[in-house]
């Protein structure tokens, strides 16, 4: 990885940071009570039973891995249902590590209209009440968020490193920089500094598209750039890109830098 690529990616990451501000059960069909057989009466007029529809506020993710099909249903008001596609699901409350889960789901529901789409994470379906049709990147973000919340609910806790895509760190220079930026599969970015300042940032649609393009096309790498020792304004920059965790080795590589 040469110096030009590092500078390019670092520039794109800084552009991302600068552009963002810190910113129930289905209804059952109606049944008609049986009429007494002793007194003949005219047949009642047929009534069409209401069609059961998914409840607004639901995100469903269907995944097929090595022939195994699982469905995760995430609801802002009741947590997560996870189980085999042809089996009985189990109910899980949201993990204490994801206190913002209801707000995340409600945000999707109120912003976007209903859709179903196939993504690299699985087939995602949102039953929304919003007016906006989500882009491909936003559909991917909703799928990634459902996957993260379901996995975390089942485990009872979350590991940040398991959903980490990029980390960027710089320190030194005349200004005394000491900054970190971590970007996750859900499209959330966390910027921190050694002074203790922290900002949670939601990536824009264009930034989400770039993030998922990196995740899907690049190999994991780490690159460091160090200015000559002794320089008055010596700067050190470290960039780490993590693929989706596929083994304990990759998990260790990514988590070791978090």
């Amino acid at each position: 990885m040469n110096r030009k690529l590092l500078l390019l990616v670092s520039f794109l990451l800084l552009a991302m940071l600068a552009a963002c501000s810190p910113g129930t059960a289905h209804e059952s069909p109606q049944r008609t009570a049986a009429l007494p057989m002793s007194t003949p009466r005219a047949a009642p007029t047929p009534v069409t039973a209401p069609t059961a529809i998914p409840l607004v506020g639901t995100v469903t993710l269907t995944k097929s891995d090595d022939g195994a099909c699982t469905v995760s249903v995430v609801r802002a008001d009741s947590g997560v249902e996870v189980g085999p596609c042809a089996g009985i699901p189990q109910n899980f409350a949201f993990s204490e590590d994801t206190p913002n889960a209801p707000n995340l789901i409600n945000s999707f529901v109120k912003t976007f209209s209903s859709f179903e789409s196939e993504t690299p994470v699985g087939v995602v379906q949102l039953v929304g009440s919003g007016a906006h049709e989500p882009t491909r990147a936003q559909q991917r973000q909703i799928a990634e968020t459902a996957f993260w919340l379901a996995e975390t609910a089942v485990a009872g806790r979350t590991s940040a490193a398991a959903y980490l895509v990029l980390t960027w760190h710089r320190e030194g220079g005349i200004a005394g920089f000491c900054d970190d930026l971590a970007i996750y599969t859900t499209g959330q970015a966390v910027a921190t500094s050694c002074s203790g300042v922290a900002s949670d940032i939601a990536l824009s649609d264009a930034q989400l598209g770039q993030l998922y393009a990196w995740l899907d096309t690049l190999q994991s790498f780490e690159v460091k750039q160090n200015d000559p020792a002794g320089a008055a304004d010596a700067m050190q920059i470290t960039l780490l890109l993590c693929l989706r965790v596929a083994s304990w080795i990759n998990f260790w590589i990514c988590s070791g830098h978090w």
Side-chain angles (χ1 to χ4, degrees):
M1 183 64 59
N2 56 37
R3 180 185 180 91
K4 289 184 178 180
L5 178 57
L6 173 62
L7 292 175
L8 175 61
V9 176
S10 296
F11 175 78
L12 290 172
L13 289 173
L14 286 173
M16 284 185 179
L17 184 59
C20 298
S21 298
T24 319
H26 295 187
E27 295 182 356
S28 301
Q30 295 178 350
R31 298 179 181 271
T32 302
L35 296 176
M37 300 303 294
S38 58
T39 305
R41 297 183 182 180
T45 302
V47 176
T48 303
T51 302
I53 59 174
L55 296 176
V56 172
T58 300
V59 178
T60 303
L61 180 66
T62 305
K63 292 174 57 65
S64 296
D65 294 317
D66 298 326
C69 179
T70 59
V71 177
S72 301
V73 182
V74 186
R75 296 186 177 91
D77 61 348
S78 58
V80 181
E81 293 180 5
V82 180
C85 294
I88 300 175
Q90 291 182 275
N91 298 318
F92 299 90
F94 289 123
S95 168
E96 293 182 357
D97 288 352
T98 58
N100 200 39
N103 292 335
L104 285 174
I105 299 302
N106 280 328
S107 176
F108 293 145
V109 169
K110 293 178 180 179
T111 302
F112 300 115
S113 56
S114 299
F115 74 92
E116 181 174 342
S117 178
E118 185 171 355
T119 74
V121 190
V123 177
V124 61
Q125 179 189 49
L126 169 72
V127 183
S129 59
H132 300 284
E133 182 177 348
T135 65
R136 290 292 296 173
Q138 290 166 337
Q139 292 171 1
R140 172 75 176 270
Q141 180 187 31
I142 294 170
E144 294 281 1
T145 301
F147 177 62
W148 169 55
L149 292 178
E151 291 272 298
T152 302
V154 172
R157 62 183 299 275
T158 185
S159 171
Y163 307 95
L164 182 66
V165 181
L166 270 169
T167 63
W168 176 83
H169 172 79
R170 69 175 176 179
E171 61 179 272
I174 295 177
F177 291 111
C178 184
D179 306 298
D180 289 277
L181 179 64
I183 306 178
Y184 300 90
T185 57
T186 58
Q188 295 300 116
V190 179
T192 58
S193 70
C194 294
S195 63
V197 177
S199 299
D200 290 330
I201 303 163
L203 300 187
S204 68
D205 179 50
Q207 293 166 349
L208 284 171
Q210 180 65 79
L211 176 71
Y212 295 136
W214 286 339
L215 179 62
D216 294 340
T217 61
L218 299 181
Q219 296 181 348
S220 296
F221 68 84
E222 180 184 10
V223 61
K224 293 183 179 181
Q225 175 188 316
N226 295 312
D227 289 332
D233 59 346
M235 180 83 74
Q236 177 182 348
I237 297 177
T238 303
L239 178 67
L240 174 68
L241 173 71
C242 301
L243 290 178
R244 184 177 299 282
V245 178
S247 70
W248 285 108
I249 295 177
N250 284 340
F251 179 82
W252 180 83
I253 290 174
C254 296
S255 64
H257 291 81
W258 173 241

